[in-house]
DNA sequence: CCTACCGATCGGTAGG
DNA sequence: CCTACCGATCGGTAGG
């Protein structure tokens, strides 16, 4: 008889295995073994292996979208929004690194409409970032901004984070987002009259 | 009888398929079918499927290392090196997008010592980037640089490039590297006395 | 959730 | 490079 909460447990276990070995590198038996049940029994809870991947990535997409949208729609300067958005992004990764890894790394293993669904949500997410930049440019906060490349720069940072960020390090999400935001806002270069004495 | 150049052809085909469907998502029969031979015949040219993955990723690693090393060791300002390095990085991706995709996305599917070999080369590559930044900081070219995060910023851009860059677009490797480098050097923010009139 | 199983496919091999 | 094949494993199902 199915255990209550078993489905969530299966999702968590699948999430962990997919993040470690990839979707195609993980078998139904890897998952059922880790659950302590037989492979056939898994199908009392799911219909297909791909269901697991879709549910993990879709929840990931939702988490990112729902954390960014209120920030974009809030009243604040573009700089402030950029910092908050980066912090929120890191926090979503922090809260579930494994799901974030699957979301970023394995979503293309989805087929047909499900892949399209995730693609759409990714596009929406990128568009929200774009709004922060275009509003900042329109408000004169950003110096003749190349919006396309600024967006690519930020998304690169965000999309690569899961590869190196590990919770429990010496820097919090707040500190990391501050440093990246500062660097992108100010640039590396020494300004005139600001160099070494 | 084995055809001359067949091995290279197999590598190219495997590279393409791995980049599209992933290493574990690609079967030996996918590869042999695309070659127009039977699956067993593939083993006249290779020993294992993983050999293909290793050879593709190792060549990728070499290409990146060999293009960056002379730039780091040259005589130039850190700014100049940063721009040249970014351009070289994009050019390596440009020359073989599929191999770059496999290198960045599939290398973790390698096992044991082969994975370690690639990991080491990745570390070397990242260290070379680090040298550009630390030399720029030491020379006073960069404003109180947070070296670790500057390196992460640049590597994020570089490591994410294969996801969106497509050869034949309206911008050359030169132009793309210029824009990213400019943005990282100058920052987004409008400087005092530089805003809108 | 188990028992018992299925057809298909997997990476790979022996012998020519 | 083909013929012919192998044992193992794959995702998944029927019936309880």
């Amino acid at each position: 008889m199915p255990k209550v909460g078993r489905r969530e447990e299966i999702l968590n276990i699948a999430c962990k295995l997919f993040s470690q070995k990839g979707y195609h590198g993980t078998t139904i038996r890897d998952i059922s073994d880790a659950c302590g049940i037989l492979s056939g029994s898994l199908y009392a809870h799911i219909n297909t292996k791909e269901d697991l991947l879709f549910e993990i990535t879709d929840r990931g997409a939702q988490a990112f979208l729902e954390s960014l949208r209120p920030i974009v729609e809030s009243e604040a300067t573009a700089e402030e929004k950029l910092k908050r958005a980066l912090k929120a992004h890191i926090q979503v990764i922090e809260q579930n690194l494994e799901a974030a890894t699957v979301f970023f790394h394995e979503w293309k293993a989805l087929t047909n409409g499900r892949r399209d669904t995730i693609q759409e949500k990714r596009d929406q997410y990128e568009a929200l970032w774009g709004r922060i930049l275009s509003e900042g440019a329109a408000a004169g906060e950003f110096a003749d901004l190349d919006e396309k490349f600024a967006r690519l720069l930020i998304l690169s940072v965000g999309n690569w984070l899961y590869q190196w960020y590990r919770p429990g390090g010496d820097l919090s999400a707040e500190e990391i987002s501050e440093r990246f935001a500062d660097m992108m806002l100010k640039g590396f270069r020494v300004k005139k009259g600001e160099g070494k004495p």
Side-chain angles (χ1 to χ4, degrees), chain A:
Chain A
M1 206 172 296
K3 213 172 110 182
V4 263
R6 194 53 141 176
R7 195 184 153 84
E8 284 302 311
E9 194 193 336
I10 292 168
L11 276 166
N12 280 331
I13 287 169
C15 186
K16 183 177 176 182
L17 290 168
F18 290 168
S19 76
Q20 289 169 349
K21 318 204 297 174
Y23 174 69
H24 289 299
T26 304
T27 70
I28 277 297
R29 280 165 185 82
D30 288 336
I31 298 167
S32 58
D33 283 357
C35 279
I37 58 176
L38 292 177
S39 66
S41 307
L42 218 53
Y43 292 87
H45 305 280
I46 61 167
N47 290 318
T48 67
K49 185 187 170 191
E50 198 181 324
D51 284 0
L52 290 169
L53 181 60
F54 178 70
E55 203 152 327
I56 292 163
T57 49
D58 194 54
R59 287 189 191 184
Q62 285 305 121
F64 281 109
L65 277 171
E66 282 163 20
S67 81
L68 182 53
R69 195 173 284 122
I71 293 166
V72 174
E73 289 169 351
S74 70
E75 298 292 324
T77 64
E79 269 202 33
E80 189 57 36
K81 286 184 184 180
L82 192 145
K83 286 183 181 177
R84 286 187 203 162
L86 206 49
K87 181 181 166 191
H89 181 96
I90 296 173
Q91 283 173 329
V92 172
I93 296 175
E94 197 171 38
Q95 280 153 31
N96 200 342
L97 181 57
E98 286 160 357
T101 300
V102 176
F103 172 68
F104 285 117
H105 212 95
E106 301 296 328
W107 72 279
K108 284 195 177 175
L110 289 167
T111 59
N112 306 321
R114 290 164 138 184
R115 182 164 158 174
D116 296 340
T117 300
I118 301 300
Q119 176 74 66
E120 272 169 39
K121 293 188 179 178
R122 292 178 72 93
D123 290 347
Q124 282 174 38
Y125 190 65
E126 298 194 4
L128 284 172
W129 277 100
R131 273 181 58 188
I132 296 179
L133 294 170
S134 57
E135 286 171 20
E141 276 185 73
F142 298 147
D144 44 55
L145 194 71
D146 187 329
E147 279 181 41
K148 182 186 168 187
F149 279 80
R151 214 190 51 165
L152 282 168
L153 182 66
I154 289 175
L155 290 172
S156 299
V157 170
N159 290 341
W160 199 250
L161 254 155
Y162 80 93
Q163 292 262 7
W164 61 268
Y165 177 71
R166 291 297 170 266
D170 45 337
L171 292 178
S172 67
E174 170 102 44
E175 287 168 315
I176 292 172
S177 57
E178 269 288 332
R179 293 191 189 204
F180 275 128
D182 268 11
M183 214 153 39
M184 288 190 281
L185 289 165
K186 292 180 193 162
F188 297 166
R189 188 185 284 159
V190 171
K191 279 78 187 172
K192 296 156 199 98
E194 199 191 294
K196 290 201 173 174

